Amino acid sequence: MVSPVYRADASVAELVQRLVTVLESITPHFEILLVDDRSPDDSWARIRELAASEPRVRGLRLSRNFGQHRAITAGLDACRGEWVVVMDCDLQDRPEEIPALLAEARRGYDFVLARRANRQDSWGKKMLSRLFYRVLSYLTETPQDPAVANFGIYHRKVVAAVLAMRESIRYFPTMVRWVGFRAGYLPVMHAGRAAGRSSYGLSQRLRLGLDILLANSDKPLRLTIKFGLLLSGGAFLFVPITLLRYWTGQIDQPGYTSLIISIWFFSGLLLSVLGMVGLYIGKTFEQVKNRPLYIVDEEVAGA
């Protein structure tokens, strides 16, 4: 089991206790891998205490905050099981759903994703999520389900396929869908947060959303070309209006007509395309630097 941990000092102990109870009912051979994404609270101290008291708990602490999906990658790199559960640490993903996910996977699926039937999130967060997934579905031309997030159970071959993708912009749900294999879905109950509130603010969500869109689709480039052509087409429509005003004497300034037409045409065509191309070049620059996806600062394992 892999869980990224951030600002969870109040909930991580309950998470481990419930996981141990659930997993022991399935098999005595399991591990709980908690990845501290350099949380500013006492999450790492709690993880160390839990590893000292429970031998099946392992902890990784990253050298800085790399983000939730890189923390998941660190956990997947370190995990050893044939079946791997990925879930958030805030207890909105209920550990009690794991046996049902495993039973569904054993019906012949390579991974089973939990579909949150009754999301216990704010109205604004749910609306923003629906809007984002609708845009992502349009740009990637692949159906996306806003009720599905990280929570699910994955066979080792699915984990290996995801880990083979070492691009710097990481979003676990879309990467899992991209690798293919036989996918199952299971409706699950979604709980409210055990403590605190989400560490993702609006600006962080927007930045992550933009990164995901740029990393998974080149359609924005094609759309900017169409947009530039549309603006240029508007300039062509503006040409006869401007010429008519010139011929009827409403414009008496020499060079005004040609100047305005040129500005409309080339500004619309160039600026809209260059802006989007610049974003893609920036993301390509990030990738070609080939920096590690994460750096582990400390590791602790149960005695």
Side-chain angles (χ1 to χ4, degrees):
M1 199 288 306
V2 171
S3 180
V5 176
Y6 191 78
R7 294 187 184 274
D9 58 348
S11 61
V12 69
E14 182 183 349
L15 171 66
V16 169
Q17 182 247 325
R18 289 169 63 179
L19 281 169
V20 168
T21 300
V22 169
L23 296 175
E24 279 184 337
S25 69
I26 300 173
T27 175
H29 307 294
F30 64 86
E31 65 177 357
I32 299 171
L33 212 160
L34 305 172
V35 183
D36 176 23
D37 194 20
R38 207 69 185 191
S39 182
D41 60 8
D42 293 326
S43 293
W44 181 242
R46 302 287 85 76
I47 292 172
R48 290 176 63 92
E49 293 169 1
L50 291 165
S53 60
E54 172 52 65
R56 292 164 293 193
V57 170
R58 295 172 60 201
L60 298 177
R61 191 184 198 199
L62 304 186
S63 61
R64 67 170 179 83
N65 179 251
F66 284 90
Q68 179 187 32
H69 298 280
R70 292 196 183 198
I72 291 174
T73 301
L76 295 177
D77 277 332
C79 72
R80 299 169 292 202
E82 179 184 6
W83 288 98
V84 181
V85 173
V86 176
M87 63 187 302
D88 294 341
C89 65
D90 55 13
L91 293 174
Q92 288 193 273
D93 298 334
R94 300 174 66 251
E96 292 75 17
E97 304 287 354
I98 294 175
L101 289 171
L102 179 59
E104 185 71 10
R106 284 176 171 166
R107 296 177 59 187
Y109 297 111
D110 295 312
F111 64 95
V112 176
L113 301 172
R115 180 177 280 127
R116 297 165 292 183
N118 59 331
R119 288 188 61 178
Q120 300 298 309
D121 292 315
S122 67
W123 178 86
K125 183 177 179 180
K126 288 188 285 189
M127 289 300 298
L128 190 62
S129 177
R130 289 195 189 99
L131 176 62
F132 167 71
Y133 279 105
R134 184 167 295 179
V135 173
L136 184 61
S137 297
Y138 171 70
L139 293 180
T140 61
E141 299 177 353
T142 302
Q144 305 287 338
D145 189 348
V148 174
N150 301 320
F151 190 26
I153 189 165
Y154 309 87
H155 191 269
R156 168 55 53 184
K157 65 181 179 182
V158 178
V159 172
V162 171
L163 291 178
M165 303 163 64
R166 306 306 286 188
E167 56 256 43
S168 59
I169 300 175
R170 307 191 71 78
Y171 186 61
F172 184 66
T174 57
M175 296 173 79
V176 167
R177 288 179 177 85
W178 187 88
V179 300
F181 299 107
R182 291 165 295 180
Y185 295 86
L186 185 71
V188 300
M189 298 294 293
H190 189 236
R193 292 183 65 88
R197 59 181 182 179
S198 174
S199 58
Y200 275 105
L202 179 60
S203 62
Q204 292 169 304
R205 292 179 188 279
L206 293 175
R207 186 166 59 249
L208 175 62
L210 180 60
D211 285 346
I212 294 167
L213 295 176
L214 295 180
N216 289 280
S217 175
D218 66 351
K219 200 168 185 177
L221 278 175
R222 289 181 274 129
L223 289 175
T224 55
I225 294 173
K226 293 178 181 178
F227 181 62
L229 293 174
L230 179 64
L231 290 181
S232 297
F236 279 117
L237 293 177
F238 186 67
V239 168
I241 298 174
T242 305
L243 290 175
L244 180 62
R245 293 178 63 202
Y246 175 73
W247 289 331
T248 57
Q250 298 180 49
I251 298 175
D252 55 8
Q253 186 69 33
Y256 173 84
T257 303
S258 59
L259 179 63
I260 290 299
I261 292 172
S262 298
I263 290 175
W264 272 70
F265 181 79
F266 288 109
S267 295
L269 186 63
L270 295 176
L271 293 180
S272 62
V273 176
L274 285 176
M276 186 59 67
V277 171
L279 288 175
Y280 276 94
I281 291 174
K283 298 306 175 185
T284 303
F285 174 66
E286 285 293 319
Q287 182 65 36
V288 299
K289 286 190 289 188
N290 200 29
R291 292 179 178 176
L293 298 177
Y294 59 87
I295 300 171
V296 176
D297 180 20
E298 298 180 60
E299 182 173 355
V300 62

